[in-house]
Amino acid sequence: MSFPKNFLWGGATAANQYEGGYLDGNKGLACSDTITDGDAKTPRRIMIELANGERKFISRFEDVPAGAKAVIDENTYYPSHVATDFYHHYQEDIALLAEMGFKTFRMSINWTRIFPNGDDKEPNEDGLAFYDAVFDECHKYGIEPLVTIAHFDMPLNLAIKYEGWLSRKTVTFFENYCRAIFERYRDKVKYWLTFNEINFLRDYSTLGITEASNYAKQQQAIYHVLLAGAKAVILGHQINPEFKIGLMVANILFYPETCNPQDSLKLQEVERNFKDFYYDVQCRGFYPEYKLAEMKRHDFKLVTKTEDAVILKEGTVDFISFSYYNSAVVSTREDATKTGGNQLAAVKNPYLEESEWGWPIDPTGLRLCLNRLYDKYRLPLMIVENGLGALDKIEEDGSINDDYRIDYLRKHIVEMKKAVEEDGVELLGYTPWGCIDLVSAGTGEMKKRYGFVYVNMDDKGNGTLKRLRKKSFYWYQQVISSNGENLD
Ligand code: P53
């Protein structure tokens, strides 16, 4: 056994980090257009305008006070506005992907290209035409588009007018958006992902809500997101029964620090809160008991409609997709040393090396994830993000020798192969993150690069945007042409 013949090798991107052209073609503003740059130490910020008109910057994850809204500050640099300009480079970029032999290309549609204000009556033709051109370009090379419907995407107007996902109206606006793209791209797109890293939606920029750390608001908003996802699945299958619609979760793998049962109990709690809940609802179609009990403990009752239970039940996904970058260690010790990693503070794992940005590197963890998910849900899987964010250096001859990236990806592919060949997991595809360099979501930097293709652009938006093939470009080309057999 080896990878199936039709295995979807490719790479992944997201509109707000890659596309740019933030006002072109009548695009409206998204919350992501109001997030500044930052770096490993300085959080990305947003400028908010309070009800009394006063303006100030706050950290992106800080609560926006009730009655306030995000605004654009004319004197500030916003990485999403140009990003690495896929909007004006899509032909060149897709040709590069084709040269690597891509079978699939994961990208997201910018919601505000299609509905500039989110609540518009009619979709914006310029936006629809842009993605027509992109998909046609993909099909020219036999590349199957894999489309994320909402990748950390919230129209700013919906956040201001309705508090985003807190309002049930946003479910309807999202449904209108889905209908517009499902109908338009009915014969151009087969694979869809509803919400990118649905378990990371938690702030103003992703949920559109103020006071985002408020439990009741957060839970109600997430409920609407899950309901909208289920509606999208149902609608998609009505429009084209051939559509394959999947969920997407940030699948950090957790270990307990010791065999102390308390650590395992903590681990279970973290697993449930951070991941299981999202898989359970979208794969099984109802809220699990542990979640109902948690809401009860908070004395919180969801506002629902009677038809919702059927929608959740009928709107379960066709496949599971997830991002996997690293694992993390859960501990109950008060004095445990914390490591940066991602947004979850966790304990350092003494058995693993870390990336320059402090993310532990754990290829075996990927095999564990694949097995657990397949055992539990028995749905086809897709790894739609994986990769190493690293500093790249251009040599005098123009070459970029990113052996560290090749090493990271090779080790993960080896484990993925074992999961398929030795464990029998049904894996549909693999799309490493940021196949062409793009802006980091976490830090807003350019220098944290993931790509096989280098883009000339710096952290402040200076650069020629010229594309260069890295060493990993040629390596991945050979991985794909050998269908994962030649990893040297
Ligand atoms: P960056 C945190 C932890 C794990 C995945 O991340 C994450 C994040 C958010 O920062 O997000 C996903 O760019 C996400 C992508 C993102 C990618 O991981 O911070 O789906 O949008 O770019 C890598 O290095």
Side-chain angles (χ1 to χ4, degrees):
M1 278 228 297
S2 58
F3 288 112
K5 266 213 181 68
N6 55 355
F7 189 75
L8 294 168
W9 295 98
T13 61
N16 78 86
Q17 292 166 255
Y18 180 39
E19 204 176 85
Y22 85 117
L23 294 177
D24 287 317
N26 297 314
K27 181 186 166 299
L29 287 177
C31 287
S32 54
D33 292 320
T34 70
I35 311 177
T36 69
D37 60 331
D39 57 45
K41 292 196 184 72
T42 329
R44 305 183 69 180
R45 299 177 302 160
I46 56 174
M47 175 169 269
I48 55 164
E49 186 177 295
L50 304 173
N52 65 9
E54 187 194 324
R55 289 181 169 205
K56 63 171 181 182
F57 273 116
I58 61 170
S59 145
R60 167 200 177 175
F61 291 121
E62 213 174 301
D63 276 9
V64 171
K69 60 178 182 185
V71 290
I72 299 271
D73 176 49
E74 297 306 323
N75 302 313
T76 296
Y77 169 60
Y78 292 99
S80 77
H81 294 191
V82 177
T84 43
D85 205 27
F86 176 64
Y87 193 77
H88 297 105
H89 290 76
Y90 70 93
Q91 286 160 313
E92 181 186 350
D93 285 2
I94 293 167
L96 284 161
L97 304 180
E99 192 182 326
M100 272 186 282
F102 272 37
K103 311 285 181 211
T104 190
F105 172 42
R106 178 178 175 221
M107 49 168 281
S108 74
I109 293 181
N110 245 323
W111 188 345
T112 50
R113 261 193 214 295
I114 310 301
F115 287 94
N117 300 295
D119 59 357
D120 314 72
K121 287 253 167 325
E122 297 297 327
N124 170 32
E125 178 54 32
D126 286 357
L128 288 168
F130 171 66
Y131 295 108
D132 263 326
V134 168
F135 299 142
D136 290 346
E137 202 65 20
C138 288
H139 288 300
K140 194 166 114 184
Y141 300 104
I143 297 174
E144 188 75 45
L146 164 59
V147 177
T148 317
I149 300 170
H151 192 123
F152 299 155
D153 202 359
M154 166 52 59
L156 182 60
N157 180 57
L158 292 187
I160 295 171
K161 236 165 131 180
Y162 308 91
E163 276 218 49
W165 285 109
L166 188 61
S167 167
R168 181 141 181 151
K169 288 197 176 124
T170 297
V171 178
T172 307
F173 298 139
F174 183 78
E175 236 185 314
N176 295 341
Y177 165 47
C178 288
R179 185 174 299 106
I181 59 177
F182 287 162
E183 282 176 352
R184 179 77 169 222
Y185 310 125
R186 191 185 171 278
D187 301 315
K188 294 187 183 183
V189 177
K190 178 175 169 198
Y191 292 100
W192 301 89
L193 306 179
T194 47
F195 295 93
N196 180 68
E197 294 191 339
I198 190 166
N199 53 334
F200 264 163
L201 308 184
R202 62 170 79 153
D203 65 337
Y204 182 83
S205 75
T206 47
L207 288 175
I209 63 177
T210 63
E211 305 170 302
S213 64
N214 175 290
Y215 182 83
K217 278 187 153 186
Q218 206 180 76
Q219 293 306 317
Q220 189 64 48
I222 290 291
Y223 176 74
H224 288 148
V225 173
L226 289 163
L227 191 68
K231 284 190 169 215
V233 173
I234 296 169
L235 181 68
H237 289 155
Q238 281 165 3
I239 292 173
N240 185 349
E242 299 289 305
F243 278 176
K244 299 288 175 213
I245 308 173
L247 63 79
M248 200 297 201
V249 163
N251 201 76
I252 293 172
L253 175 72
F254 298 99
Y255 300 113
E257 188 183 26
T258 71
C259 48
N260 180 341
Q262 293 308 315
D263 275 357
S264 283
L265 205 59
K266 175 82 182 172
L267 172 79
Q268 187 181 62
E269 182 196 320
V270 170
E271 286 273 349
R272 283 178 165 180
N273 268 329
F274 183 70
K275 292 187 301 191
D276 296 358
F277 165 63
Y278 300 89
Y279 285 118
D280 287 347
V281 176
Q282 297 178 92
C283 296
R284 294 177 170 155
F286 56 89
Y287 266 43
E289 290 69 21
Y290 59 83
K291 190 67 184 184
L292 300 176
E294 177 202 291
M295 293 193 296
K296 212 165 176 187
R297 278 200 301 282
H298 280 89
D299 223 0
F300 169 69
K301 229 178 155 306
L302 281 173
V303 180
T304 63
K305 286 193 179 175
T306 35
E307 68 258 33
D308 294 2
V310 178
I311 294 168
L312 288 181
K313 192 79 207 167
E314 288 180 354
T316 56
V317 293
D318 299 318
F319 68 96
I320 287 175
S321 85
F322 63 90
S323 65
Y324 178 80
Y325 293 90
N326 57 274
S327 58
V329 179
V330 168
S331 168
T332 46
R333 264 192 307 129
E334 286 291 327
D335 60 341
T337 13
K338 299 270 196 277
T339 176
N342 2 63
Q343 297 176 23
L344 291 177
V347 177
K348 200 174 171 69
N349 188 329
Y351 301 99
L352 301 177
E353 286 179 14
E354 292 182 352
S355 78
E356 290 166 293
W357 271 263
W359 294 21
I361 300 173
D362 183 6
T364 311
L366 177 59
R367 183 177 179 188
L368 288 168
C369 289
L370 288 164
N371 275 301
R372 282 191 196 173
L373 287 170
Y374 196 61
D375 285 352
K376 192 163 173 188
Y377 301 107
R378 306 209 69 76
L379 285 172
L381 305 174
M382 218 190 272
I383 303 162
V384 297
E385 285 184 33
N386 173 236
L388 181 72
L391 291 163
D392 289 331
K393 183 166 164 266
I394 308 179
E395 304 298 337
E396 264 169 35
D397 64 359
S399 65
I400 298 157
N401 301 310
D402 55 343
D403 293 296
Y404 36 89
R405 183 168 293 110
I406 294 173
D407 187 57
Y408 176 103
L409 294 170
R410 179 192 291 127
K411 286 177 175 153
H412 284 78
I413 295 174
V414 164
E415 294 303 318
M416 164 174 122
K417 207 162 178 227
K418 287 183 196 159
V420 172
E421 295 181 359
E422 295 176 31
D423 308 329
V425 159
E426 186 182 355
L427 186 65
L428 302 174
Y430 178 64
T431 60
W433 178 246
C435 46
I436 294 187
D437 286 347
L438 40 67
V439 176
S440 158
T443 68
E445 292 166 304
M446 255 324 291
K447 66 170 173 289
K448 188 183 186 192
R449 296 171 182 272
Y450 287 86
F452 303 113
V453 174
Y454 184 94
V455 179
N456 183 309
M457 184 75 152
D458 72 11
D459 291 342
K460 291 290 171 193
N462 306 303
T464 60
L465 293 169
K466 188 172 149 62
R467 274 76 170 140
L468 293 174
R469 294 166 185 81
K470 302 181 194 176
K471 188 171 173 184
S472 56
F473 179 99
Y474 302 102
W475 172 81
Y476 196 47
Q477 188 176 52
Q478 155 210 298
V479 171
I480 298 178
S481 67
S482 66
N483 200 25
E485 294 304 315
N486 186 352
L487 303 176
D488 297 333

